[in-house]
Amino acid sequence: QVQLVESGGGLVQPGGSLRLSCAFSGTVFSTMGWYRQSPGRERELVAHVTFGGGTEYVESVKGRFTISRDNVKRTVYLQMNSLKPEDTAAYYCNSVPLVPGYWGQGTQVTVSS
């Protein structure tokens, strides 16, 4: 059974940092990504990382977010720096391309003063 468990979200002031973690089990994903969704907006793939460590980012987070993975620990991370109010969303990890049945509970990130 595939499980994805996200953690690390919270409330942070603009300019602050958070580190999200996604522990996965049941399979090994070739490419994993962090997605986010906020009310009234479509779900967005923020960043993804290949099994070998290659990364790509959506333009709005380039230079601020860093995605990484530990294949031994089966965990994917998202280091978020210089956070902005528009980064507020529920963040989820999933395969890329996503598999609808693999969504976890997500972790909420709120950037507000």
Side-chain angles (χ1 to χ4, degrees):
Q1 181 180 0
V2 175
Q3 281 192 317
L4 297 162
V5 180
E6 302 93 344
S7 62
L11 173 63
V12 63
Q13 292 186 343
S17 298
L18 285 173
R19 189 193 194 203
L20 307 185
S21 298
C22 168
F24 58 92
S25 60
T27 189
V28 176
F29 297 94
S30 175
T31 299
M32 293 202 69
W34 281 97
Y35 300 77
R36 67 184 178 186
Q37 187 165 24
S38 55
R41 299 182 66 176
E42 291 190 0
R43 182 168 51 219
E44 174 183 41
L45 174 61
V46 174
H48 67 261
V49 58
T50 66
F51 187 86
T55 60
E56 288 197 24
Y57 302 90
V58 69
E59 191 64 34
S60 60
V61 308
K62 283 182 180 178
R64 301 189 297 122
F65 291 10
T66 302
I67 189 171
S68 60
R69 65 189 289 169
D70 185 325
N71 293 323
V72 174
K73 293 183 178 179
R74 295 195 174 194
T75 303
V76 179
Y77 305 98
L78 186 67
Q79 178 66 44
M80 306 187 295
N81 299 328
S82 302
L83 283 161
K84 304 176 180 180
E86 51 263 43
D87 295 318
T88 295
Y91 284 72
Y92 304 85
C93 61
N94 202 318
S95 177
V96 177
L98 68 86
V99 177
Y102 287 175
W103 293 116
Q105 83 288 350
T107 187
Q108 177 67 34
V109 172
T110 302
V111 185
S112 175
S113 55

